[in-house]
Amino acid sequence: MTDIDIAQKVKADHIKKIAEKLDIKEAHLEYYGNEKAKLPLDLIDEEKVNQSNLILVTAITPTPAGEGKTTTSIGLNDGLNHIGKKSVVVLREPSLGPVFGMKGGATGGGWSQVIPMVDINLHFTGDFHAIAMTNNLLAALIDNNIQNRSKNLGIDPRTVIWKRCMDMNDRSLRNIVSALGGKAGGIPNETGFNITAASEIMAILCLCKNLEDLQDMCSNIYIGDTFEGKPVYAKDLNASGAMAVLLKDAIKPNLVQTLEGNPAIIHGGPFANIAQGTNSIIATKMGMSLGDYAVTEAGFAADLGAEKFLNIKCRKANLSPKAVVIVATIRALKYHGGMSLDRLTEEDLEALEKGFPNLERHIESIQSFGLPVVVSINAFNSDTEAEKKLIYDYCKTIGVPVALSYGWAEGGKGCIELAEKVIAAAQTCEVKFTPTYDLEDSSFTKIEKICKKIYGANNVVLTDKAKKQLKKFENLGYAKLPICMAKTQKSLSDNEKLLGRPINFDIHIREFEIATGAGFIIPIAGNILRMPGLPLTPSAEKIKIDGEGTISGLF
Amino acid sequence: MTDIDIAQKVKADHIKKIAEKLDIKEAHLEYYGNEKAKLPLDLIDEEKVNQSNLILVTAITPTPAGEGKTTTSIGLNDGLNHIGKKSVVVLREPSLGPVFGMKGGATGGGWSQVIPMVDINLHFTGDFHAIAMTNNLLAALIDNNIQNRSKNLGIDPRTVIWKRCMDMNDRSLRNIVSALGGKAGGIPNETGFNITAASEIMAILCLCKNLEDLQDMCSNIYIGDTFEGKPVYAKDLNASGAMAVLLKDAIKPNLVQTLEGNPAIIHGGPFANIAQGTNSIIATKMGMSLGDYAVTEAGFAADLGAEKFLNIKCRKANLSPKAVVIVATIRALKYHGGMSLDRLTEEDLEALEKGFPNLERHIESIQSFGLPVVVSINAFNSDTEAEKKLIYDYCKTIGVPVALSYGWAEGGKGCIELAEKVIAAAQTCEVKFTPTYDLEDSSFTKIEKICKKIYGANNVVLTDKAKKQLKKFENLGYAKLPICMAKTQKSLSDNEKLLGRPINFDIHIREFEIATGAGFIIPIAGNILRMPGLPLTPSAEKIKIDGEGTISGLF
């Protein structure tokens, strides 16, 4: 059975039943159909947040198919509920880009899924669209100000860094010349689109405390300079009120359920390669307010999602996980050990062992934060007993707890070993995490610390353009912002061909973007792009719907 | 009190209570919060459609503030319910373009509004965003096909006519060069964005029967040619399944309520100047299935919305209104009589009388369809008794029923006279309307008939470009499609400065667009643009939201 077959076969509970399990009264729910609801922010209870166990799920460097972080998060949550713990899984919202492109949905797989999976993977409750409109309203206001010379703040169009966005893999929009067609069409300008998840508005939504805070953060977005070199902010365009109004519902986390009827909160930001890539602070705190355990994930491997989750998000929200799960697959470890993608179902103990250093690097990264690690092997039917034993023995040798997880095949029952080891690890954790860098460090030092301590790089190399940009940001007073790296997810380095645990490499920062509203600097490493393209055969081509409304070809 | 003050003051009923009034069971409702719900298509009952009275509300050529067509439609619906008729008002969804631009919301005014007005004017149930994503998915698939030479259908990028869209007044996106940045960025191309309401996808949603029909219509979208000159359709890109899936919820009409708790269905397409501009066939038939009266509106004046409502939509759906209300204001008639916008509150009987020919032209247009007309004067406080008497007497002279409507000030109570005259008119109507042109006419003849019979033009003049395009469309086999004019709403002519009832003018067709999936040809007259721009001071600048979530500055 495919994921969508399973998801459509299971009868979902009415969402009010899921809410009841969390002692949420029906009056607090804002329904979107019978299976989705938005939750009001006043359900957040800081006292409960302080008592709850936050569990972060991250991964090794993934194969193109992903390691099953979401599947493991859902399975772990179901496993925790299975053994009597009150646990909530807090996930990120899928982007339509991969849904129509290559990677597929982001709602788990097999018997560890969240439902209604079709809706969640499509428009869900409209949050992404609201974010895109907010982003693009600011763009239209900037260009309109430039166009109307009597009102123009004196914005120099050549300095405008604010891009538009769209939740689509559309390479053609990456670099455009806009405002052609003569006087009525505006002042021609080089610009482009990022994918919505990479928009600063997404980051603001994920990092704000409430709607007022969001409005303030929007005010502080730096968009470019006047001809006199004075910085211009969204507040100068009187934009932030309308921006906040567009986000008044998107700011509320969404409640859904796992296939086993356990609560799941889904809210905010994927794409930890090109964005901050973790769900919203509001959603994480909501999960912690409602559950004794809150299981959350951060995108791609620990060098990206987990690093940003800790250094940006948890630092800002004053949160700290009690344990970190690193998801690995035997397939991916063999891939890092040199096997080709088409042979990964064959047993190969040598390749597997050769792949361990990638896992080792990510374990060290999490340990560098001072946090307990649990390795979770996301089991595939093709894994052999000898392979499983090898990885078990390896983890024992290095003193890290390990569990085989059968969430895909068995749901929560298949994740009880993992759940028990996570509980044990969380009980040992008595400290808050230690960040990789201090906010007082210079921007360059911060980048260097991430690249050396987390990626294992030798040095950081900036292009002349990047040096100039960084200097400018420091002159504008942004030296104390944290860093949100944009780097390929396919390697610890900035070169996607370097698998395993690369050594003797530098990180090359091509250019910077800055998000002064969200509050971080974005170094862009290697060839990474913040607007993906579609693959040779986009998934969209396979999707069909029949007269009865039954959908096929979607995952 | 402003419109938003009134709308926020009235306590809305739970939407299930509104549904109960229409005998809709709760199980049929898909809630979006407590005050909005989507309705399933199987509530449409063709037998009831045949028995129901469809009432179309149109207007004279409007001032920039609009004549109050939506306000009158809502007031008339409340009036009909007030006197014991089972009536449903069926409106179009607002676009965010005017909300952040100039015209404001599209949910009526004063005591004739639909609520929740803020939500309806913002993202509502996400229909516009789903339409935009569908439009833009096709654009991405086209460009991706061109980019991947091994898969390329042989599409000649210079011939691609499919544009992207966004629900924003953003002149900078009207004309762009896309896909810059070298090989990885695609093949550079001249293209642009229309506003979402003008997208062919909006028209398909508004003209389809059901999701299967929608998928078929999407398949037939013509996007450009191969290098060999063969036409390429969305079906050649395997796009229509994914497009239909994106629209699986947007296709369902939305149920809300008037301030007086009467049912309102809101679904699909505004902007009758640049689009077909009427709500969906599905929504109209839903309204007719649920009410003995269904009051609907078509955008701008009778030369635009009503013409398209009848010649395109009603012809396709085999519907015919029983009566047509033409909304006029004394202010606008004086404006057409030569008064300047800033003096319209002063009494001026001479200017008023001079403005009558505009009303007369629109009455004649509706009569040319063989339909009964009722004139509704949307009353303003500044109207004087003498002015009211003058217009009353004028309508009597020409034998057209007239009612003064106080929907804005009094809600349904203020529209009882109108309701009674509409019922009387509907009872006299025993025929289906006569279209302005036959589908068998040549495309040029169709355009000529609209321009002469509805606008009062002398001739139709095509540019060389337009002639070439029309010839091409005929060669492709599209000679029998109906016509969807794009023309300024500010004049019966294509020159927005010609007020009143212009004579001795030609209509100039600058170029054509074509919508082969929706099934019409779009002649673009004069200077009209299908992507608006923001005004000098966009409404967006005034919008604020406070810590309690109270919104101000939105209308």
Side-chain angles (χ1 to χ4, degrees), chain B residues 399-461:
Chain B
V400 172
V402 57
L404 264 161
S405 305
Y406 296 90
W408 187 87
E410 300 173 15
K413 277 201 320 286
C415 293
I416 290 173
E417 182 192 0
L418 175 61
E420 283 168 348
K421 290 194 174 164
V422 163
I423 293 169
Q427 280 164 349
T428 68
C429 182
E430 284 172 359
V431 293
K432 295 224 158 188
F433 76 96
T434 310
T436 308
Y437 53 83
D438 289 332
L439 294 179
E440 298 298 319
D441 292 337
S442 75
S443 301
F444 185 79
T445 302
K446 286 175 201 153
I447 299 167
E448 220 174 27
K449 285 186 177 175
I450 295 169
C451 293
K452 291 184 174 177
K453 293 207 256 179
I454 307 292
Y455 306 165
N458 287 353
N459 290 298
V460 176
V461 182

Side-chain angles (χ1 to χ4, degrees), chain A residues 74-102:
Chain A
I74 296 166
L76 172 57
N77 184 54
D78 284 342
L80 285 163
N81 278 285
H82 200 83
I83 58 175
K85 299 295 179 190
K86 194 174 178 189
S87 177
V88 180
V89 66
V90 189
L91 303 171
R92 300 159 304 148
E93 299 185 46
S95 156
L96 281 170
V99 167
F100 293 125
M102 193 157 57

Side-chain angles (χ1 to χ4, degrees), chain A residues 31 33 123 151 172 179 246 541, chain B residues 31 33 123 151 172 179 246 541:
Chain A
Y31 292 130
H123 310 291
K151 270 205 82 178
S172 295
L246 277 171
E541 293 191 18
Chain B
Y31 292 130
H123 310 291
K151 271 205 80 178
S172 295
L246 277 171
E541 293 191 18

Side-chain angles (χ1 to χ4, degrees), chain A residues 365-372 429 431-434:
Chain A
S365 292
I366 298 304
Q367 289 172 337
S368 78
F369 291 102
L371 294 172
C429 182
V431 293
K432 295 224 159 188
F433 76 97
T434 311

Side-chain angles (χ1 to χ4, degrees), chain B residues 96-350:
Chain B
L96 281 169
V99 168
F100 293 125
M102 193 157 57
K103 194 167 169 248
T107 46
W111 291 94
S112 288
Q113 294 190 58
V114 280
I115 49 175
M117 78 91 96
V118 171
D119 288 2
I120 298 171
N121 277 303
L122 295 177
H123 310 291
F124 199 20
T125 56
D127 297 342
F128 269 61
H129 301 321
I131 289 165
M133 292 307 290
T134 307
N135 181 103
N136 296 336
L137 173 63
L138 179 56
L141 289 170
I142 294 167
D143 281 3
N144 190 56
N145 192 277
I146 293 171
Q147 169 76 345
N148 289 303
R149 302 194 72 76
S150 69
K151 271 205 80 178
N152 188 347
L153 296 166
I155 300 171
D156 179 350
R158 299 165 303 180
T159 67
V160 172
I161 59 166
W162 190 252
K163 292 183 178 182
R164 289 174 178 77
C165 75
M166 191 184 282
D167 189 27
M168 188 70 75
N169 284 4
D170 190 347
R171 69 172 66 76
S172 295
L173 292 177
R174 235 177 249 155
N175 297 290
I176 69 170
V177 171
S178 67
L180 298 171
K183 249 180 162 173
I187 311 268
N189 201 7
E190 282 184 64
T191 181
F193 284 66
N194 287 334
I195 195 162
T196 300
S199 161
E200 179 170 358
I201 305 300
M202 173 64 87
I204 288 176
L205 186 94
C206 290
L207 295 173
C208 72
K209 280 200 287 277
N210 52 43
L211 200 53
E212 225 172 349
D213 190 33
L214 178 148
Q215 188 168 229
D216 287 345
M217 290 170 82
C218 285
S219 295
N220 294 328
I221 294 171
Y222 163 67
I223 64 100
D225 301 322
T226 66
F227 280 105
E228 284 72 40
K230 224 185 92 197
V232 179
Y233 298 92
K235 60 177 158 248
D236 302 320
L237 293 149
N238 302 318
S240 57
M243 293 170 78
V245 167
L246 277 171
L247 294 169
K248 75 179 180 61
D249 296 313
I251 199 176
K252 299 174 199 158
N254 306 291
L255 180 67
V256 292
Q257 64 193 288
T258 69
L259 287 176
E260 299 186 3
N262 292 312
I265 292 173
I266 305 195
H267 196 225
F271 292 178
N273 50 352
I274 55 173
Q276 59 90 30
T278 77
N279 62 61
S280 71
I281 289 177
I282 288 171
T284 304
K285 286 191 168 183
M286 182 79 75
M288 295 173 80
S289 301
L290 299 170
D292 299 326
Y293 286 81
V295 178
T296 191
E297 56 169 351
F300 296 115
D303 57 331
L304 290 166
E307 184 272 308
K308 295 170 182 181
F309 180 83
L310 294 165
N311 286 317
I312 300 174
K313 172 176 162 170
C314 286
R315 170 157 28 199
K316 168 144 193 192
N318 195 25
L319 295 172
S320 192
K322 293 282 184 187
V324 178
V325 175
I326 299 182
V327 178
T329 56
I330 286 171
R331 298 156 52 93
L333 290 167
K334 289 189 286 190
Y335 177 61
H336 285 293
M339 266 182 116
S340 63
L341 277 173
D342 55 344
R343 290 189 43 241
L344 296 182
T345 51
E346 300 167 22
E347 182 180 276
D348 188 335
L349 297 173
E350 198 187 324

